[in-house]
Amino acid sequence: MSSRIILIGPPGAGKGTQAARLSEALGVPAISTGDIFRANVKGETELGTLAKRYMDAGEYVPDEVTNSMVADRLAQDDAAEGFLLDGYPRTSAQVDELDRMLAAEGKEIEHVVELTADTDEVVARLLARAQTEGRSDDSEDVVRHRLDVYEEQTQPLTDIYRERGLLRQVDGLGEVSEITERILDTIR
Ligand code: ADP
């Protein structure tokens, strides 16, 4: 089964949860740009210091920074046979850069899975997560702003991938394990 996969969807749709489960099921690494940024913030690296300003405001980290971080990650051995990208690409410039990175290796994306969930549901999930995980970007105004940025900059990417015949839409509402099955069904 082919497994160069992008997971796309609004904040709170459950991409991270599903990415971990799919990674296990498919035997490819889940690569989350948000997790890599958060690890850098925690480790107080230069990249972390730069990214934190944007993340706390609910803005996207600049494309050049994100693109070079992803290029480094995809060059690692474990990603040679496939990967699941969670949270990348998020802008059309990132789509172009990812295309270039893969083309250089004679590879391409095989599936783009869009996890859908309505705004009320994702806001409720993110505010609940704020209580348990204390992520600094889960306050109500930042959550709303992240959703606006998603709608404006990332939602349009689904059209690009639909035109390429790669888009698979999956309902993100339901039991976690059921959603994993739905995703596996669409890519099998
Ligand atoms: P969510 O999808 O729930 O908002 P993520 O963990 O995927 O959370 O991302 C958290 C933050 O990390 C984003 O709001 C943004 O600031 C930054 N980030 C993650 N991925 C990207 C990306 N591809 N491009 C730019 N910024 C990103």
Side-chain angles (χ1 to χ4, degrees), residues 57-131:
E59 297 288 342
Y60 288 167
V61 177
D63 286 332
E64 313 81 65
V65 176
T66 308
N67 285 335
S68 72
M69 180 179 88
V70 171
D72 287 348
R73 180 63 188 88
L74 290 182
Q76 289 173 25
D77 289 346
D78 66 337
E81 297 308 319
F83 49 76
L84 268 155
L85 284 171
D86 159 15
Y88 182 91
R90 264 178 149 101
T91 64
S92 57
Q94 293 178 14
V95 170
D96 293 344
E97 191 53 32
L98 177 62
D99 285 342
R100 268 195 290 275
M101 284 180 228
L102 294 176
E105 304 278 316
K107 293 174 179 163
E108 44 187 39
I109 291 296
E110 281 136 10
H111 306 280
V112 176
V113 177
E114 180 187 12
L115 264 186
T116 60
D118 67 31
T119 305
D120 289 346
E121 172 69 18
V122 298
V123 170
R125 287 184 189 178
L126 292 169
L127 295 180
R129 184 172 77 184
Q131 306 276 310

Side-chain angles (χ1 to χ4, degrees), residues 3 5-7 19 22-23 26 28-32 82-86:
S3 37
I5 299 166
I6 292 171
L7 275 178
L22 294 165
S23 163
L26 300 170
V28 294
I31 298 175
S32 156
F83 49 76
L84 268 155
L85 284 171
D86 159 15

